[in-house]
Amino acid sequence: MICISNHLKLSLLPPNIVRMKIHEQHYYVLWFLQQLFSKNCVSTGDGVPKENSPFINNTDDKGNSYDGTNMALFEEEMDSNPMVSSFLSKLANYTNLSQGAQEHEEADDDEGPKKKAVKSPQMGTFMGVYLPCLQNILGVILFLRLTWIVGTAGILESLAIVGLCCSCTMLTAISMSAIATNGVVPAGGSYYMISRSLGPEFGGAVGLCFYLGTTFAGSMYILGTIEILLTYMVPKAAIFVADKKEDELDALLNNMRVYGTCCLAIMSVVVFVGVKYVNKLALVFLACVILSILAIYAGVIKTIFDPPYFPVCMLGNRTLKNHQFDKCNKIEVIDNITVTTQLWNLFCDGSQLNATCNEYFVNNNVTELQGIPGLISGVISENMWSTYGPLGMLVEKSNLPSVEGGDPTQDIYMPYVVNDITTFFTLLVGIYFPSVTGIMAGSNRSGDLRDAQKSIPIGTILAITTTSIIYITSVVLFGACIEGVLLRDKFGDSVKGNLVIGTLSWPSPWVIVIGSFFSCCGAGLQSLTGAPRLLQAIARDGIVPFLQVFGHGKANGEPTWALLLTAGICEIVSERNIMFFLMCYLFVNLACAVQTLLRTPNWRPRFKYYHWALSFLGMSLCLAIMFISSWYYAIVAMVIAGCIYKYIEYRGAEKEWGDGIRGLSLNAARYALNRLEDAPPHTKNWRPQLLVLLNVDSDQAVKHPRLVSFTTQLKAGKGLTIVGNVLQGTYLTKESESKKAEQNIKAAMSAERTKGFCHVVVSSNLRDGVSHLIQSAGLGGMKHNTVLMAWPGAWKQSNDPQSWRNFIETIRETTAAHQALLVAKNVDSFPTNQDRLGEGTIDVWWVVHDGGLLMLLPFLLRQHKVWRKCKMRIFTVAQMDDNSIQMKKDLQMFLYHLRLDAEVEVVEMHDNDISAFTYEKTLVMEQRSQMLKQMHLSRTEREREIQSITDESRSSIRRKNQGPAENASLSRQSSTTEDAQEDEVAQLIHDRNTASHATINDKVDAEPEQVHMTWTKDKLLTERNRNRECNANVAVRDLFNMKPNQTNVRRMHTAVKLNEVVVNKSQGAHLVLLNMPGPPRNRGGDENYMEFLEVLLEGLNRVLLVRGGGREVITIYS
């Protein structure tokens, strides 16, 4: 209210304050007041950056950019376009921070509700991008699984795995750098880049998949935390303890579930309290990670001159778990007495020397290997090659002697180190890939960076390069320093449960254990912090309606509801969470490639070291890794993304972000249109491409919405549909009406699910507008070939004859343009898309061959559910000389070759005699036509005169036909008899009318002999009226003496006879399709043509008049 009142006060100031030069200083006062008051007016928004430019057409500071009168010439432009100085000032002060990204600022007691000023972003490349990416990339896989991957896959294949995954992320980082430097990237990171580059559908689908991937990654980090805690730090803290060896895995999973839930709850509380605590802890966690990596390199250097002592006990060539024994001996001598060891008790049924022992234990010796032989020991040559195996396979050293023996099925109960899963190359790719994810950490903080366009490419690429070097060197160094059987010991059971990588570190294994523990904790917190914000960004964009509730949070913008959902999903662990990351990376590469190939004008990234081929290579690598690691999980992830895509497309909010997919669609459309230009479509590919001429009323509301429904039923979403409308006037005066009509037509099309385009034309007259539509609608080869319009039902009652003349001219123009024409009579009685017609018929009256359009239209209609139950009947007309039986057989064979199911009937019309009714109807039609041309009467007098002529003519014929001449007929072959009877009927009308108009005729003959030449104004008017009356009387006398034209009589005879047959056969049909006769070449008979059509269609409900376009549209060939 304060803002409204302030602006109201400003509006009361006199306008001359800002207009008159003498009061120019007052303008600055007014400008200052506007600036002051506008600070109190805060727009209510959801914090989502607007897509339209904040610099042009911005009404927030309207009027502030015009300063003085130096630029008065451009004064009119100031309403929409700012001055350059104002534009540059706004551009310099523009911030891309979104609401909710900053911590809540407490209100200052002295300043009331005024908030503290928000600090501008100050984070640089190192702190803002490099370190966060480093922390997210280096994590649980490096400390827990990399040694096992090297031992299982060998150094060479491990390098291939690392190279493949790091190449994928590096190529993705290059594409991401190009996108991130192509303009300002507000908070939202990868989701923002994908959605603005590929559209809301792709952005929403991939954004949700990336959210799920980040959430599942959080659960993976939490499980890594619990594994380190229970396996290497506090093993005795386990709640579930296995009594048998085969139950150890189940006990471990149950412990992880309990402790994982507790850890998840603690982390969620920390994130809920505030992200600033997470950021403070992140530095501590990152320091632990860096110290752990330095400890590994220090340990490697130490192995050169002083390898650590971690012996591995071997029985034959098999590796033993040494949890339950201290000495790697079967027996030992104490005080000259040979006694058995703890190892003996594990393989024998007693501690006595004569106890029964395992056969393999008896046949093989126990040896001890150095677990960390050192960098210069030469063990690297043994670790070069892979050692894959099935579940339960024993971890063995191939170059040690071994004597087989015993029952292999009992080996699972012995303290051997075995494979806990079946191993193969693609599995290891899937296990390793999460260790290279996290490259989006820098771009996700784009709102906090001082210069995001500079920091994101440099920081991300440097972080990937650093981590790639760490991983590659770690693979080589692990293989060169650690014994192969120890590398394949996933949980360190052969070294008393120590972390394998910890045995290599210096000064103590606990450095790695503690570092990896905090590393997993930090990564889990980062996931629980980033995932809810990503979901909140998607929800606030409004592209997924049911997620809008997750766009809300606490007063400081923290995503409370999104955090709760994320914590709930973390309880579901997906072992293939990498699929969602890979899909995100795939679409980042696709976005860059599409934008580069399209060369859109707005694609001007500052990062120049990119190429579309690199983006396609990165996309291919992502797709390959998805299917390499697990093809069925890849398909599941794609199906999930596809379902989200279709949901957003169907129910999501419409967004126009200038995405690349739209540009790709435009290029594909251009290419297709160029191809269509080469040649017209073949008959097999022909389908009606409709131009629907739709009328609107004075309020621009659609007059006949059923015409749009019929279009949908006829097209079923296939081919081209253009709904056109013509408004009379000029575009400058009818612009608003044109926009409103277009909106109403689009609304009608949407309601009827008509897929097509709307085209509203404003023309000086309706005739020219329709002609322009027929000539120019469409583009290139994608043009209409059929015009659909409604029958002008009120053409007789219309005061303006131009309505039916426009209709006839439209017929002529479609014929000249070689386009088909469909005219729907009584279109308001046509079924809607919700109707379901019962069993009935669609009757086709095939009078003349029109290229097969009459046959094709019922087939297309029956594809729609409205007409699906209707049967097709085809009627054709046989003349006197035709063989009806043979015609029926030929037509049935023709339909058989056309693959159309229809009933066939041949109707014979042998009666060539023209009845008196036909003669009378023709005469009345011509009299009416002639009278409307010659008589200048008012509307009421015109209708009264027409009615009197019609009544007198009918009564005269009726009295004449009561005698023996009632059955007389006019023979087409005898012209003499025809003329005599025409004269007789005409004379009857003439005699009847002459008596009533004798006075008029006498008055016409009695003309004055002299005319006085002395004129006055009154005499002039009197003379003009008398001459006009005389001319009218002469015209009326000629009207009643006229004879009907023989051509018109024959045409009326055809219309009457054909109408009788059609009504008799098809009055109960759901739809009647009929050949449309062509208009006369002489425009003088246009009104008679309309009469013929009225007679032809009389008594029929739903009729579709069809006129072919002059080409074959259906063929019998395949």
Side-chain angles (χ1 to χ4, degrees), residues 13 40 51 68 237 254 305 384 421 444 902 1015:
L13 293 175
N40 294 330
E51 294 308 312
N254 290 331
F305 50 86
M384 279 290 180
I421 57 173
N444 290 341
W1015 295 92

mmCIF file of all heavy atoms in Angstrom, residues 13 40 51 68 237 254 305 384 421 444 902 1015:
data_model
loop_
_atom_site.group_PDB
_atom_site.id
_atom_site.type_symbol
_atom_site.label_atom_id
_atom_site.label_comp_id
_atom_site.label_asym_id
_atom_site.label_seq_id
_atom_site.Cartn_x
_atom_site.Cartn_y
_atom_site.Cartn_z
ATOM 1 N N LEU A 13 1.291 15.090 -9.804
ATOM 2 C CA LEU A 13 2.107 16.236 -10.163
ATOM 3 C C LEU A 13 1.786 16.671 -11.582
ATOM 4 O O LEU A 13 1.519 15.856 -12.442
ATOM 5 C CB LEU A 13 3.586 15.872 -10.051
ATOM 6 C CG LEU A 13 4.094 15.600 -8.626
ATOM 7 C CD1 LEU A 13 5.540 15.122 -8.694
ATOM 8 C CD2 LEU A 13 3.989 16.838 -7.759
ATOM 9 N N ASN A 40 10.948 1.082 -2.002
ATOM 10 C CA ASN A 40 10.009 0.427 -1.115
ATOM 11 C C ASN A 40 9.139 -0.581 -1.838
ATOM 12 O O ASN A 40 8.340 -1.254 -1.217
ATOM 13 C CB ASN A 40 9.100 1.466 -0.435
ATOM 14 C CG ASN A 40 9.882 2.363 0.507
ATOM 15 O OD1 ASN A 40 10.881 1.936 1.089
ATOM 16 N ND2 ASN A 40 9.461 3.610 0.633
ATOM 17 N N GLU A 51 13.546 -15.022 -17.534
ATOM 18 C CA GLU A 51 14.227 -15.344 -18.769
ATOM 19 C C GLU A 51 14.293 -14.142 -19.703
ATOM 20 O O GLU A 51 15.143 -14.056 -20.547
ATOM 21 C CB GLU A 51 13.526 -16.512 -19.467
ATOM 22 C CG GLU A 51 13.623 -17.797 -18.688
ATOM 23 C CD GLU A 51 15.037 -18.121 -18.315
ATOM 24 O OE1 GLU A 51 15.915 -18.048 -19.192
ATOM 25 O OE2 GLU A 51 15.295 -18.433 -17.163
ATOM 26 N N GLY A 68 16.732 15.216 -18.968
ATOM 27 C CA GLY A 68 16.788 16.522 -19.617
ATOM 28 C C GLY A 68 16.214 16.497 -21.012
ATOM 29 O O GLY A 68 15.414 15.645 -21.371
ATOM 30 N N ALA A 237 31.752 -52.361 17.589
ATOM 31 C CA ALA A 237 30.504 -51.605 17.714
ATOM 32 C C ALA A 237 29.361 -52.242 16.924
ATOM 33 O O ALA A 237 28.228 -51.744 16.972
ATOM 34 C CB ALA A 237 30.703 -50.166 17.244
ATOM 35 N N ASN A 254 22.865 -55.647 7.807
ATOM 36 C CA ASN A 254 21.967 -55.192 8.873
ATOM 37 C C ASN A 254 22.609 -54.088 9.712
ATOM 38 O O ASN A 254 21.939 -53.112 10.099
ATOM 39 C CB ASN A 254 21.586 -56.377 9.768
ATOM 40 C CG ASN A 254 20.675 -57.361 9.055
ATOM 41 O OD1 ASN A 254 19.909 -56.969 8.174
ATOM 42 N ND2 ASN A 254 20.772 -58.634 9.411
ATOM 43 N N PHE A 305 63.177 -47.601 0.516
ATOM 44 C CA PHE A 305 64.286 -47.962 1.398
ATOM 45 C C PHE A 305 63.843 -48.650 2.678
ATOM 46 O O PHE A 305 64.653 -49.280 3.355
ATOM 47 C CB PHE A 305 65.102 -46.713 1.752
ATOM 48 C CG PHE A 305 64.284 -45.551 2.231
ATOM 49 C CD1 PHE A 305 63.929 -45.421 3.569
ATOM 50 C CD2 PHE A 305 63.862 -44.564 1.349
ATOM 51 C CE1 PHE A 305 63.184 -44.352 4.011
ATOM 52 C CE2 PHE A 305 63.112 -43.489 1.795
ATOM 53 C CZ PHE A 305 62.777 -43.376 3.113
ATOM 54 N N MET A 384 50.403 -56.795 -13.618
ATOM 55 C CA MET A 384 50.028 -56.165 -14.889
ATOM 56 C C MET A 384 48.694 -56.692 -15.428
ATOM 57 O O MET A 384 47.943 -55.965 -16.052
ATOM 58 C CB MET A 384 51.121 -56.418 -15.927
ATOM 59 C CG MET A 384 52.298 -55.467 -15.809
ATOM 60 S SD MET A 384 51.833 -53.795 -16.302
ATOM 61 C CE MET A 384 53.399 -52.964 -16.063
ATOM 62 N N ILE A 421 31.997 -61.182 -4.852
ATOM 63 C CA ILE A 421 31.122 -60.993 -6.021
ATOM 64 C C ILE A 421 31.836 -61.541 -7.245
ATOM 65 O O ILE A 421 33.058 -61.730 -7.242
ATOM 66 C CB ILE A 421 30.759 -59.504 -6.264
ATOM 67 C CG1 ILE A 421 32.028 -58.668 -6.443
ATOM 68 C CG2 ILE A 421 29.884 -58.954 -5.165
ATOM 69 C CD1 ILE A 421 31.735 -57.235 -6.849
ATOM 70 N N ASN A 444 27.699 -25.667 -9.916
ATOM 71 C CA ASN A 444 26.555 -25.543 -9.017
ATOM 72 C C ASN A 444 26.679 -24.347 -8.084
ATOM 73 O O ASN A 444 25.693 -23.898 -7.515
ATOM 74 C CB ASN A 444 26.403 -26.822 -8.186
ATOM 75 C CG ASN A 444 25.936 -27.994 -9.016
ATOM 76 O OD1 ASN A 444 25.388 -27.817 -10.103
ATOM 77 N ND2 ASN A 444 26.171 -29.203 -8.542
ATOM 78 N N ALA A 902 -16.916 -51.733 -48.455
ATOM 79 C CA ALA A 902 -18.097 -50.885 -48.631
ATOM 80 C C ALA A 902 -19.175 -51.656 -49.375
ATOM 81 O O ALA A 902 -18.881 -52.558 -50.176
ATOM 82 C CB ALA A 902 -17.745 -49.607 -49.401
ATOM 83 N N TRP A 1015 -37.454 24.971 -66.288
ATOM 84 C CA TRP A 1015 -37.261 23.980 -65.214
ATOM 85 C C TRP A 1015 -37.140 24.675 -63.864
ATOM 86 O O TRP A 1015 -36.588 25.741 -63.733
ATOM 87 C CB TRP A 1015 -35.997 23.143 -65.431
ATOM 88 C CG TRP A 1015 -36.071 22.270 -66.658
ATOM 89 C CD1 TRP A 1015 -35.652 22.562 -67.905
ATOM 90 C CD2 TRP A 1015 -36.637 20.968 -66.702
ATOM 91 N NE1 TRP A 1015 -35.906 21.537 -68.758
ATOM 92 C CE2 TRP A 1015 -36.516 20.521 -68.043
ATOM 93 C CE3 TRP A 1015 -37.250 20.113 -65.759
ATOM 94 C CZ2 TRP A 1015 -36.950 19.283 -68.452
ATOM 95 C CZ3 TRP A 1015 -37.668 18.893 -66.196
ATOM 96 C CH2 TRP A 1015 -37.529 18.481 -67.512
#
